[in-house]
Amino acid sequence: MTEINNVRKNGKRPFEAGPGRPRLALVGSPNVGKSSLFNRLTNSYLIVSNYPGTTVEVSRGQARIGEVEFEVIDTPGLYSLLPLTEEERVARDILRLERPELVLHVIDAKNLERMLPLTLQLREAGLSLVLVLNIMDDAEKLGLRIDLERLERELGLPAAATVSTTGRGIDKLKEIILTAHEQRKT
Amino acid sequence: MSNEKPEARYQRLAADYRKRIAARLKADYGFRPDFVALLLIQDDQEMLQLVREKEPEAWTEIAGLVTELKERLDEPPAYLIARYYQARASRLAAETICCQKRSAVADFQLQLSRLMINPVTGLPILFLILYFGLYLFVGRFGAGVLVDLLEEHLFNQRLTPWLTGASNRWLPWPALRELFTGEYGIITLGVRYAVALILPIVTTFFLAFAVLEDTGYLPRLALLLDRFFKKIGLTGRAVIPLVLGLGCDTMATLVTRTLPTRRERFIATLLLALAVPCAAQLGVIFSLLAEKPAGIAVWAMIILAVFLLAGFLASRLVPGDPPDFYLEIPLLRRPLFSNILVKTGARIKWYFLEIMPMFIFASLLIWAGRLSHLFDLLVRILTFPVRWLGLPAETAVAFLFGFFRRDYGAGGLYDLKKAGLLSGNQLLVAAVTLTLFLPCVAQFLMNIKERGWKVGVSISIFTLFFSFTVGFFLNLGLNLLGINL
């Protein structure tokens, strides 16, 4: 893949895909809790803020889920697979060139309608996908109730409801990741 | 809102072209070919370029199909496709979400959120936040009480005398003594500035910033200021890097990457270099002018005026379209105490690891400069422009420090003020000039990294001359009007 060498000039170049740990990529619009989820999965600490666009550099970490070591990649905010900003291009390049085994599309549960278009795009792009409805506590405070099973059925994707700041739903998410990984192997 | 029409239209025409384009894509793009085709149809320049390189034979045909489809649709395909996805998403959402009554807490939060965004109530709220958070907490408490405690009680009364005594006893060579505990020594100047002056200020700022950040106030501030920022070629989106600049301009310049157009990135970089003081600078300036509230007011007005004027002129001179702005607004929430502490800790660590070696290096540099008399020569040269500003010759040292780091320069002024060498007017002129002065070395390097050599160097030269010009006229104005602060 020679294109990797000339896509990004400013040091944010994606790593070439290769053998090694299976990769998990976290994507989604700004301020949906990707970095906070990254910290939960990898037990590390990235600065997490309650404002959009905080992740400028791509962060990588390791997560041990069950018996499997994953490489976790936190990406800058992405609204659409048709990128407008430099960050969006970086995020798209990671999806395109790094071949993550599983892509976690993290969304703000209270803005489901606004965020689903990207889910549909990611699915059409042929990526294997898990939908993570994060910040579920806010959605509940606003009185929203989401039928997770129906959503899973309609999209044909596994979905998890989480609150990454408190850790709610993370175990369920890990189970989903592991199941997807097992299916991939067989 | 579900709308069948664009969906049907898209299905009929685009689906066919998409299939035909996809069939001609042979290389691996990391996405499914029919999705790559969809991106091409939407005029994705990066993808078009890539396909052009990878499919030399089929390229003409592919490009032809893309153009043909565009001509056959009444609207740009990108709109149609976006609407198609949105319609499907809306239908899905309608099928899976059901609503109950909002909780009382959420009602209150939404109300408060509206007050923060509405200019009539939002500007007073912003003023209160600046007054309590920035002025009282960072300026008076951090830069006043805490600095006093560390500087006066820890360093000047205990650590420095003890270490000076020790070095006099154990270090036989005067030059080496000078290096550690002399006037500009590593301990007496470098470590003292970093630990006693900069650390408490930066800590209080990052604490205040983390609280604002985690409550979700900043996106609301972005909406509030959007209309004003439009006048200076930016949008509310620039609030985030610019407010972060009040903490550290270097960090903030990195974050200008989140701005969508080159024009916005350039304007924001310029404003950060010129008219956004960093926390360390702010804190020292607040404490310099602590007994002169009128001085702080004049200082703030001048910096604000320069900020607006520079932005306004830059937006006129730099070519490009006025940008659009759209921002996700998270709910307001009570910040998690642990998150604030960990985050502040991480930022202080980042900052401290960056400045500590620089400060020690500066002491080394000054020491070498003094041994070779180069330091005195530079100070003597700088006394000329400093005199034009009506400042005593001793301030030249602070300006020389300022070439190295903003906070270091402000720190130099702090020492002069304590020695009682500056009058109220002189403090104000020096504070204004040093605020507008060159970006520090780290920010300069970041400017070059993010914006290239030409822009990075021009911004520095421009701010250097501009700051002295403003200082000169300010001094002249104060004298002509007979104002004595």
Side-chain angles (χ1 to χ4, degrees), chain B residues 288-306:
Chain B
L288 281 179
L289 296 169
E291 294 99 55
K292 314 251 188 295
I296 292 191
V298 176
W299 171 84
M301 279 189 294
I302 293 173
I303 302 303
L304 188 65
V306 168

Side-chain angles (χ1 to χ4, degrees), chain A residues 11-185:
Chain A
K12 294 185 287 184
R13 185 188 304 153
F15 294 165
E16 197 161 341
R21 296 189 183 84
R23 286 187 170 131
L24 294 176
L26 296 166
V27 297
S29 0
N31 209 36
V32 294
K34 292 182 292 296
S35 301
S36 156
L37 197 61
F38 177 92
N39 293 340
R40 281 277 163 200
L41 290 173
T42 60
N43 292 323
S44 58
Y45 187 78
L46 288 180
I47 290 194
V48 173
S49 318
N50 187 10
Y51 66 61
T54 336
T55 303
V56 216
E57 303 279 359
V58 177
S59 315
R60 291 158 197 281
Q62 283 161 32
R64 192 178 179 84
I65 302 175
E67 294 297 305
V68 191
E69 283 276 350
F70 289 93
E71 181 188 342
V72 186
I73 311 170
D74 183 27
T75 66
L78 180 72
Y79 285 108
S80 147
L81 278 182
L82 192 67
L84 288 175
T85 66
E86 188 65 13
E87 280 66 53
E88 289 190 287
R89 278 184 206 113
V90 173
R92 184 171 84 170
D93 279 353
I94 289 170
L95 291 178
R96 235 163 42 76
L97 303 174
E98 297 214 18
R99 311 293 158 111
E101 181 183 281
L102 199 58
V103 175
L104 307 184
H105 181 205
V106 188
I107 69 173
D108 181 347
K110 70 172 177 294
N111 291 327
L112 185 67
E113 182 175 348
R114 209 148 5 118
M115 306 209 161
L116 278 178
L118 182 60
T119 319
L120 296 168
Q121 291 177 25
L122 291 165
R123 195 183 60 171
E124 256 183 76
L127 302 160
S128 47
L129 205 59
V130 174
L131 184 61
V132 183
L133 290 92
N134 198 24
I135 330 184
M136 205 58 193
D137 49 346
D138 271 5
E140 282 160 5
K141 259 190 249 162
L142 288 172
L144 301 178
R145 282 194 36 192
I146 298 167
D147 184 345
L148 212 59
E149 277 165 29
R150 173 111 196 240
L151 193 61
E152 284 184 320
R153 218 167 43 236
E154 298 281 341
L155 284 168
L157 301 172
T162 58
V163 181
S164 54
T165 46
T166 65
R168 195 182 119 188
I170 299 296
D171 287 340
K172 182 81 207 319
L173 175 63
K174 285 182 175 170
E175 259 173 52
I176 292 176
I177 292 171
L178 219 49
T179 314
H181 175 71
E182 295 301 327
Q183 277 172 358
R184 179 90 167 200
K185 270 205 311 205

Side-chain angles (χ1 to χ4, degrees), chain B residues 108-128:
Chain B
F108 170 74
Q109 284 172 341
L110 291 175
Q111 198 60 38
L112 185 62
S113 170
R114 252 174 250 138
L115 293 178
M116 285 171 168
I117 296 168
N118 184 329
V120 179
T121 46
L123 288 174
I125 291 176
L126 172 61
F127 182 79
L128 285 180

Side-chain angles (χ1 to χ4, degrees), chain B residues 154-183:
Chain B
L154 181 68
F155 271 82
N156 290 358
Q157 286 179 14
R158 281 157 231 258
L159 224 50
T160 314
W162 184 77
L163 282 166
T164 312
S167 92
N168 285 344
R169 208 161 326 129
W170 303 109
L171 294 175
W173 307 279
L176 208 57
R177 251 181 268 162
E178 192 68 23
L179 174 62
F180 287 100
T181 52
E183 197 183 346

Side-chain angles (χ1 to χ4, degrees), chain B residues 323-346:
Chain B
D324 282 330
F325 176 53
Y326 168 77
L327 189 72
E328 256 347 289
I329 301 285
L331 285 192
L332 287 174
R333 65 182 73 141
R334 204 176 34 210
L336 276 177
F337 190 62
S338 59
N339 191 29
I340 292 199
L341 284 190
V342 179
K343 172 154 52 183
T344 307

Side-chain angles (χ1 to χ4, degrees), chain B residues 181-221:
Chain B
T181 52
E183 197 183 346
Y184 305 102
I186 289 178
I187 309 243
T188 27
L189 194 76
V191 177
R192 179 170 63 90
Y193 272 10
V195 175
L197 208 54
I198 309 302
L199 183 67
I201 297 172
V202 171
T203 306
T204 44
F205 178 85
F206 282 147
L207 265 176
F209 186 79
V211 171
L212 280 189
E213 203 180 357
D214 280 15
T215 52
Y217 177 69
L218 293 177
R220 287 165 177 86
L221 180 63

